[in-house]
Amino acid sequence: MTHLTSKTQINTSNNIHAIDSNSFVVSERKFLFQMGDQLDGIYRVNSGCVKLSRNTADGEKQIIGFYMAGDLIALDALADGFSHSTAVVLETANISLIPFATILNQDAKFDHHAFMHQLGVNYNNDNDHTMMLSQPAERRLAWFITKFSDGLAKRGMIANKFRMPMTGTDLASYLGMALETLSREIRGLCKQGLLNKSNRNIELLDMKYLIKIAAGGNADQESFANANAGWETSTNRTISY
Amino acid sequence: MTHLTSKTQINTSNNIHAIDSNSFVVSERKFLFQMGDQLDGIYRVNSGCVKLSRNTADGEKQIIGFYMAGDLIALDALADGFSHSTAVVLETANISLIPFATILNQDAKFDHHAFMHQLGVNYNNDNDHTMMLSQPAERRLAWFITKFSDGLAKRGMIANKFRMPMTGTDLASYLGMALETLSREIRGLCKQGLLNKSNRNIELLDMKYLIKIAAGGNADQESFANANAGWETSTNRTISY
DNA sequence: CGACTGGTTGATGACAGTCAACTGATGTGG
DNA sequence: CCACATCAGTTGACTGTCATCAACCAGTCG
């Protein structure tokens, strides 16, 4: 893995291709930045998928989020210019650097309104994540799956059949559970007929019921899938949040 | 409890006194805003303490943070102008409204740099909180206590002897544990000689060891307090983060 | 004074973490 | 292309942390 700390390196690395002055491509498994790096601004993900992680005080790595088109990352660098998290690309990504100067200076060409809006969206997503962590494992998983699917729908992609860009280990860390627990919970949802899974390929069979679980509806209740078998109930409906 | 949704109400409520055009006082137990309120901007806490909460999908209330002098709240309203959280004042607070227009418009009198800095600080604090939620209960508690103490120190207040502004129920919710668990964990730390507690008054006796627990050091190890009894090891040292 | 809110303590059990063994994918060098 | 190593994920058995339920106590307030 290469390691990016400055724009100079961006231009010299053969894994990172400048598209224009502000946007560049980072390929799978490459670092965008690491904890402690001094950044020139914050980043916007234009396409692909990036994971952010942090180290706990005792050195364990924890995933704090997965970011896709439109998301802002490295917001923590607003505090002091240094990144407090590590960014690794999961799916080859097009990234824009938004320099601090652009954010602070009254550059009319920069859409401050959209920036602030996105900041709020990111903030809300993070809060949702935080809140889910004190919920039962099955609920956390159902929440993630429906939210991920919704994210795809919002970006105009197929929402009921997709490939997870992250490993189970990463997802388990993000959801605050052991890898084994994640594996068992996924199997549980499969057995309930709510989804199919092979490797990282997921097919949602009963979105409504998954949403119900995510919202705290108990999985022991009668499944919508059982009560109303078929595809009518499992269309890739858009979740509002 | 009264409920503030607009500046009009701010001016009419006898619990809220305008100090200047931007700053006002909200007294204990009053709402600053509630989930769903349309806001005119985001708020800055100048003094006092404010708690933020959200409702889970199944209607349970969860505390997402406690905010003190310097902290920004209602950042989620940046997304769409509506608050996704509820703010209740715990200690009579002086609050400034920072209108969206001020943030977006190129108002030279507004310190955008300081604003962005504080945004990053808030963001980091939230990430810390999120990460702690998958740690053991004792560790979460030790983390909160040391962090709270550090927050007091940073604001020039006495850091090793203070009063908790929130109820145990609120703190338990924030830390993602049951009230009973919190009660037992506090007692556990007391029994280890790390702190004293009567009602909501806390006295830290061994900050270093609390920090060690917060960082993942096991409480079964020999306590610094036991190894090196006395006050020399329990001064209100400032934690760097 | 009773009714509340806030907090403590004990008994019990469930959810999920840990340990361990194993299977299946993916990748690498000879 | 195979042999091997490595990573990713599965499954089972066991254990422990912590949530739940319940009873109880201490302030506070109308």
Side-chain angles (χ1 to χ4, degrees):
Chain A
M1 292 189 182
T2 54
H3 170 205
L4 269 185
T5 50
S6 71
K7 281 177 293 189
T8 315
Q9 283 182 286
I10 290 173
N11 296 332
T12 55
S13 165
N14 60 358
N15 288 297
I16 292 137
H17 310 283
I19 285 184
D20 63 37
S21 56
N22 290 322
S23 152
F24 52 91
V25 171
V26 185
S27 58
E28 224 169 297
R29 291 157 187 265
K30 305 294 172 190
F31 285 86
L32 178 58
F33 53 79
Q34 284 190 317
M35 282 179 72
D37 284 357
Q38 184 160 20
L39 304 184
D40 299 316
I42 71 167
Y43 293 97
R44 181 179 184 280
V45 181
N46 301 312
S47 69
C49 183
V50 177
K51 74 173 176 186
L52 282 189
S53 65
R54 285 187 165 207
N55 291 341
T56 58
D58 51 349
E60 294 299 304
K61 188 164 286 187
Q62 270 193 12
I63 304 294
I64 56 175
F66 305 104
Y67 300 88
M68 300 178 71
D71 291 327
L72 300 172
I73 58 179
L75 290 174
D76 46 15
L78 284 171
D80 55 7
F82 290 88
S83 174
H84 298 238
S85 51
T86 294
V88 175
V89 172
L90 296 177
E91 278 175 348
T92 301
N94 183 297
I95 308 278
S96 291
L97 172 67
I98 306 176
F100 293 129
T102 300
I103 298 166
L104 291 173
N105 294 348
Q106 319 322 7
D107 183 351
K109 283 172 296 191
F110 180 64
D111 188 343
H112 286 84
H113 193 280
F115 176 77
M116 286 298 168
H117 167 80
Q118 189 57 45
L119 241 162
V121 170
N122 269 42
Y123 196 80
N124 276 313
N125 288 340
D126 288 348
N127 273 339
D128 285 345
H129 177 215
T130 303
M131 287 187 61
M132 288 311 295
L133 290 181
S134 27
Q135 302 299 329
E138 186 190 47
R139 190 168 170 186
R140 272 175 284 171
L141 175 57
W143 167 78
F144 174 79
I145 292 173
T146 53
K147 197 171 155 52
F148 190 81
S149 169
D150 186 43
L152 293 176
K154 279 194 161 59
R155 292 172 177 90
M157 307 170 79
I158 298 166
N160 62 343
K161 220 167 178 179
F162 51 84
R163 183 175 186 280
M164 308 277 260
M166 73 292 289
T167 66
T169 307
D170 283 343
L171 182 53
S173 170
Y174 176 69
L175 294 177
M177 64 182 74
L179 171 61
E180 296 91 326
T181 303
L182 176 62
S183 178
R184 283 185 251 265
E185 293 298 339
I186 290 175
R187 194 158 56 105
L189 294 183
C190 289
K191 280 187 175 171
Q192 291 178 62
L194 304 178
L195 55 84
N196 284 330
K197 188 204 174 225
S198 81
N199 299 325
R200 290 193 201 157
N201 301 303
I202 302 283
E203 181 181 14
L204 302 191
L205 301 177
D206 192 342
M207 182 70 138
K208 275 188 191 170
Y209 197 68
L210 285 170
I211 292 171
K212 192 174 175 182
I213 294 177
N218 193 303
D220 295 338
Q221 298 167 247
E222 190 188 15
S223 160
F224 287 2
N226 298 336
N228 186 7
W231 280 86
E232 289 74 25
T233 57
S234 52
T235 47
N236 51 338
R237 125 164 207 232
T238 301
I239 318 157
S240 58
Y241 61 88
Chain B
M1 292 191 180
T2 55
H3 171 204
L4 268 185
T5 49
S6 70
K7 280 176 295 189
T8 315
Q9 282 182 284
I10 290 174
N11 296 333
T12 53
S13 165
N14 60 358
N15 288 296
I16 292 138
H17 312 283
I19 286 184
D20 61 39
S21 57
N22 290 323
S23 152
F24 53 93
V25 171
V26 185
S27 58
E28 226 169 294
R29 292 159 186 263
K30 304 295 171 190
F31 285 87
L32 177 58
F33 53 79
Q34 284 191 316
M35 281 178 72
D37 285 356
Q38 184 160 20
L39 304 184
D40 298 318
I42 71 167
Y43 293 97
R44 182 180 183 280
V45 180
N46 301 313
S47 69
C49 183
V50 177
K51 74 172 176 187
L52 283 189
S53 64
R54 285 187 165 205
N55 291 341
T56 58
D58 51 348
E60 294 299 304
K61 188 165 284 188
Q62 270 193 14
I63 303 295
I64 57 175
F66 305 104
Y67 299 89
M68 301 179 69
D71 291 326
L72 300 173
I73 57 179
L75 290 174
D76 46 15
L78 284 171
D80 56 8
F82 290 88
S83 174
H84 298 238
S85 52
T86 295
V88 174
V89 171
L90 296 176
E91 277 174 350
T92 300
N94 182 295
I95 309 278
S96 292
L97 172 68
I98 307 175
F100 293 130
T102 301
I103 298 166
L104 290 173
N105 294 348
Q106 318 320 6
D107 182 351
K109 284 171 293 190
F110 180 65
D111 188 344
H112 286 84
H113 193 280
F115 176 78
M116 286 296 168
H117 167 79
Q118 189 57 45
L119 241 163
V121 170
N122 271 41
Y123 197 81
N124 277 312
N125 289 341
D126 288 348
N127 274 166
D128 286 345
H129 176 215
T130 303
M131 286 185 62
M132 289 310 295
L133 290 181
S134 27
Q135 302 299 328
E138 185 190 48
R139 189 168 170 186
R140 273 175 284 172
L141 175 58
W143 166 78
F144 174 79
I145 292 172
T146 53
K147 197 169 157 54
F148 189 82
S149 169
D150 185 42
L152 293 175
K154 281 195 158 59
R155 292 172 176 90
M157 308 170 80
I158 298 165
N160 62 343
K161 221 169 177 177
F162 51 85
R163 182 174 186 282
M164 308 277 259
M166 73 293 290
T167 65
T169 306
D170 282 344
L171 183 52
S173 170
Y174 176 70
L175 293 177
M177 64 182 75
L179 171 61
E180 296 93 326
T181 303
L182 175 62
S183 178
R184 284 185 250 265
E185 293 298 339
I186 291 175
R187 192 157 57 104
L189 294 183
C190 288
K191 280 188 174 170
Q192 290 178 62
L194 304 177
L195 54 86
N196 284 331
K197 185 202 177 224
S198 82
N199 300 326
R200 290 194 201 158
N201 301 303
I202 302 283
E203 181 181 15
L204 302 190
L205 300 178
D206 192 342
M207 182 69 139
K208 274 187 190 170
Y209 197 68
L210 285 170
I211 292 171
K212 194 174 173 182
I213 294 177
N218 192 303
D220 295 338
Q221 298 167 244
E222 192 189 13
S223 160
F224 287 2
N226 298 336
N228 185 7
W231 279 87
E232 290 73 28
T233 57
S234 52
T235 47
N236 52 339
R237 121 161 210 234
T238 299
I239 318 157
S240 59
Y241 60 85

